[in-house]
Every structure is written in structure tokens, then in C-alpha cells.
Amino acid sequence: EMKNTVKGVIFRRTIRASYASLDLIHRDKNEINSAVDVHTVALIQFHHQENTPSLRSYIRRLCKLGSEVELTGCMVEDRFHVQLHMGEKSINYADGLSDRGGNAGGELSIEAEICTVSSGIRLIQTQKLDMISCQRAREQYYPSFDKVNKNKIKSDMHEHSKQSLSKRKKKKAEGQTGHGGGIGKRMQGEFVADFLIRLVASHMNKSLGDCEVSSKNVHDNQEPLASNIFASRTVQNIQHVKVDDELRGKVISYLNGGSGIMDVAGGNGHVSLAMALRGVKSTVIDPRETVGKLPGRDRKILKRALKGRSTDSKHNKVINPLPPPTEFATLRAWFSKRPDGIDEEFREGVIRSQVSSTTDGSDGKISSPSIPICTMCSSDGLLPSCSAIIALHPDEATGDIVDLAVKHRIPFVVVPCCVFSRLFPMRFKPVRQAIGTLARNETRGVVSTYEDLIEYLLDKDESIKITKMDFDGANLALWSLFDR
């Protein structure tokens, strides 16, 4: 059939075993001065069975949400069909050499195999639309709410399947979710709180150096990698350090100094709950309306602990645990800065139509000035006097937390989770120049995987270490005490 071209912006992408589908919005080129967007579904089929994983990776790298692309193919019924074919492999040298001979000047040459792809996809511009515009387009063409019956619509990505994932499969993959959804947030918060206490106790007791520095990869079922930076930064056995009552009292006294612990992006406050039950004062910092609002069963646990601190009605005697539990504070604010391209309705509880919009003459972006930003100079005065920063799965705030902690040498423990490669396209993977070291002035690709994110954060300071926590999912804790 005759080949045609379609140019549009990707607002929805689905990648499966043998095909991928792209939803594009574009203006009808046959209609002059048309202001109506046209929706086109493009079906990309993989025709080389052996290299199907490489083709899927190619689509993931090239076709990002919000990118403008040009597709070449043919219209079959109501879908635009594009074919991909994998070509021969070639060697690409980072220093510009065209063959294996002559590594000029003795400099390091980084080589990588690249599979050439013969396709009808051409990338025109990245980030043509932001994520909010993509979500609006998706809601327009794939609504999630029935306005007539006022019910949520269960979205089905595949019309041929009544259920995309069976209950049995969901249960099997439960512990593999990014946020470690097997044991619950409260227990994860307890793991992180105990880890911080043992970490500070080990440092006070001068036994931190006795903890084992692992030569193994932090990921399960992998062989030791001598050139992996994880190996030289991984510290084990901290979670098994014994802390007696006297040492625990010193640790709690130190952590309660100044403004106490900053629980950044703490959400409902499960980490602060664990800290409060251990007698450590903390402040939950989060831009959402539900900041620090624990579920009912967790609020009861804290209330019972606080009541038990004063008297025991059964035995009519004063209870004085070591240390006594305390309450935690909350601050609805962004940490360090407000990221661009975030989902305002989810993060701030803001519906854009209800916001009294303010625009600056340059880009005309709508902003919500009601939510403050917590910085070293903000009026709340929390960060300059805090004893440590702790963050369990802080999402977009991960990089800002590590940057601020490193800059001002504030002890921190961060458990990263999501990568947000489209939200942070300027995060680049550091290039390993020699065993166990990284070249800071060279880059190789955008940070796009969880391992890339961990390596990117480790490269921010040589004192940052890594320890695996005892729960599933995203469980790698990055920390540093900066010898304080």
C-alpha cells in the first residue's frame, strides 16, 4: 500500500511483547487554520523475533510522552501501521573513532554495540508537551470518570482482555513494586527509623568502621562486580548493631537537638510516626493537603502511646519509658524548590481551573503561590538547625534532598524509588573511568533506570554509602553522616 506520513505529539504509549501502540494528537493538514486536534492511533509491529527486546528498548528511548514524532506507514482500518526491522550491529566509539584501531592519545575510548533500526519513526522534538497536557489529552480521549452516572471508569488498556492482570499475578508481583508494597508503610517507616538510630549509635560508639563493607552487588542473585561503584560504597550489618539504653538515650538526645528530624516528602507521616514512638521529634514536610494525616488505625497507636506516657490506669502508677513518645509536627511546603512539570492536582491538591492564576510575561505558566518552599533561608527556620534529614521514597524530591544535604553537610538517610527520567532529562549517568571511580566531567546517557539513579546520587559525594533495607521493592538506603 502507498506510504503516508503522520506528524503528532505522543500523549499515550503502550509497549507489549510483539507490538507497541502510540496515541498522537496533531492538527489536520488538510484543514487550513484548523484549531481542532486530531487523534491517531499508531500500531508498531516488531518483525524480527530474535531482537524484539532491542526493538522494545528502541521504542522506549525514542518515543517519550510529550515528544513530537513523524511516522511513515499506511492506514489500515482505523489504525496507522508502522513496521520496524532490526539491522546489523555496529560499534560506536565515544571518542569519535570509526574503527577499533588507534586509541588516539592513550585516552579512554568507550565503545558500545548499537543495533541499527530501519523504521518509519523520526523524532522531531522532545518535550513538545508537558506531562499535564498529556494527561489532559488522555482524559479527553480515554476518560476515567463518567460525568453522567458520576462513576469512575475502569480503564482497560487492551480491549481484547477483560482483566489485564489476574489477582494471582498481582499477589505474586506484590513485593516487586517500586514502593515495596508488601509490608505496608508503617513497617517500612519503622525499618528506616531504627536504621537511623543504629547508624548514629554506631558513629557515636566508634563502631561504624567495624561494619562490613561488602564486595557484592547490592542486588540479589548477582555476582560481585569489582568495577561496580556499589561494591565500594555498600555497608552491611548496620541494621544488626545492638544499642543499649544508655547509648540509645544519647542518640535520641542528639536527634532531638535543634528542630529535630526533617521527614521530607513524608506523605501521611509513617516515618515520623515511627520516630515519635521512639521519642524523636520530627517534622513532616510535604506539599499535599494530607501531610501528616495518618490513617485512623495508626493515629490510635500514637494516641495510646502518648496516653501511656503519663499514667497506667490499671496499676495507677506513672510510666516513664526510655525515651517517652512524643508528637510530630507537619509543614505543608515544597522542599528546596518546586519542580517543573509536576502534577499539581496530585501533589498540591490544586485543580487548575480553581487556581487564581498568576502568569509571568515570559512563559505564561500557571502557578500556585499559596504553598511555600522550605529552604535554608525560609521563615520556618527548620533546616538550619535540624539534626538529620530522612526520606522514604520521596519521588521528585530525591535529588534536591541529596543536593541540599551534601551542600550543607547535614546527615541524611534517603531511600529513592521512582526515577522520573522525563521530568528530569538533565540527569546524566556518570562515566566510569577506572575501577571503583567515576569521571565527573563526562556523561553517558540520561538517568533512566533505578540503578542509574542510585549511581547518579552516589556520585554527588564520596562520603555517601549504601545499605540494603529489610523490605521488598525500592529498598536501597543512601546515607551519610559527614563525620558530624
Side-chain angles (χ1 to χ4, degrees), residues 340-351:
D340 295 329
I342 50 93
D343 185 346
E344 292 179 350
E345 185 172 353
F346 176 70
R347 293 300 181 198
E348 298 181 343
V350 173
I351 300 176

Side-chain angles (χ1 to χ4, degrees), residues 188 191-192 194-200 202 207-220 229-241 391-393 412-417 450 454-455 457-458 463-481:
Q188 291 178 19
F191 276 118
V192 176
D194 287 335
F195 175 78
L196 177 61
I197 291 174
R198 290 190 175 97
L199 182 63
V200 176
S202 300
S207 60
L208 186 58
D210 297 334
C211 295
E212 179 184 356
V213 178
S214 174
S215 61
K216 296 183 179 180
N217 198 312
V218 292
H219 300 288
D220 293 335
I229 190 173
F230 293 170
S232 61
R233 300 285 189 91
T234 302
V235 179
Q236 296 178 340
N237 298 337
I238 292 180
Q239 294 164 294
H240 304 290
V241 172
L392 173 62
H393 302 153
F412 75 94
V413 174
V414 175
V415 184
C417 53
Y450 183 66
I454 297 298
E455 194 169 10
L457 296 173
L458 286 174
S463 67
I464 300 177
K465 304 296 182 183
I466 182 172
T467 301
K468 187 174 182 179
M469 307 300 291
D470 290 334
F471 53 79
D472 294 333
N475 58 0
L476 301 182
L478 276 67
W479 56 270
S480 179
L481 298 179

Side-chain angles (χ1 to χ4, degrees), residues 65-187:
L65 295 184
S67 297
E68 185 179 17
V69 296
E70 184 182 67
L71 306 180
T72 303
C74 56
M75 203 72 180
V76 179
E77 295 181 352
D78 59 343
R79 282 176 167 78
F80 191 82
H81 284 246
V82 181
Q83 292 185 356
L84 287 183
H85 295 279
M86 185 65 68
E88 297 180 354
K89 292 183 178 180
S90 61
I91 303 296
N92 179 50
Y93 292 87
D95 60 1
L97 298 177
S98 58
D99 54 18
R100 291 185 177 273
N103 193 350
E107 297 181 355
L108 176 68
S109 173
I110 302 172
E111 61 180 49
E113 287 188 351
I114 296 180
C115 296
T116 59
V117 179
S118 174
S119 70
I121 306 176
R122 183 174 69 89
L123 179 63
I124 299 176
Q125 180 182 346
T126 60
Q127 296 183 327
K128 179 77 172 181
L129 290 181
D130 58 14
M131 295 305 298
I132 295 176
S133 300
C134 291
Q135 290 170 0
R136 284 180 171 179
R138 179 165 179 161
E139 188 65 25
Q140 178 182 354
Y141 297 105
Y142 300 94
S144 60
F145 187 79
D146 187 351
K147 296 181 180 179
V148 177
N149 299 320
K150 296 182 178 181
N151 293 324
K152 288 185 177 181
I153 301 175
K154 293 183 178 179
S155 60
D156 193 353
M157 302 293 287
H158 306 283
E159 297 178 359
H160 64 272
S161 175
K162 293 183 179 180
Q163 190 173 13
S164 59
L165 189 64
S166 65
K167 293 182 179 179
R168 181 182 302 176
K169 196 170 183 180
K170 284 182 179 179
K171 187 174 182 180
K172 183 178 180 182
E174 184 178 20
Q176 302 173 6
T177 56
H179 287 73
I183 62 175
K185 278 293 182 181
R186 184 165 66 87
M187 192 172 295

Side-chain angles (χ1 to χ4, degrees), residues 258-275:
S259 55
I261 299 291
M262 296 296 104
D263 180 11
V264 180
N268 293 334
H270 287 96
V271 175
S272 289
L273 170 64
M275 285 295 180

Side-chain angles (χ1 to χ4, degrees), residues 355-398:
V355 176
S356 57
S357 61
T358 60
T359 59
D360 56 10
S362 58
D363 55 8
K365 290 183 178 179
I366 295 177
S367 62
S368 175
S370 59
I371 299 180
I373 300 176
C374 180
T375 64
M376 294 294 289
C377 302
S378 56
S379 59
D380 53 75
L382 293 174
L383 288 177
S385 61
C386 72
S387 57
I389 297 175
I390 194 167
L392 173 62
H393 302 153
D395 292 334
E396 300 100 326
T398 302

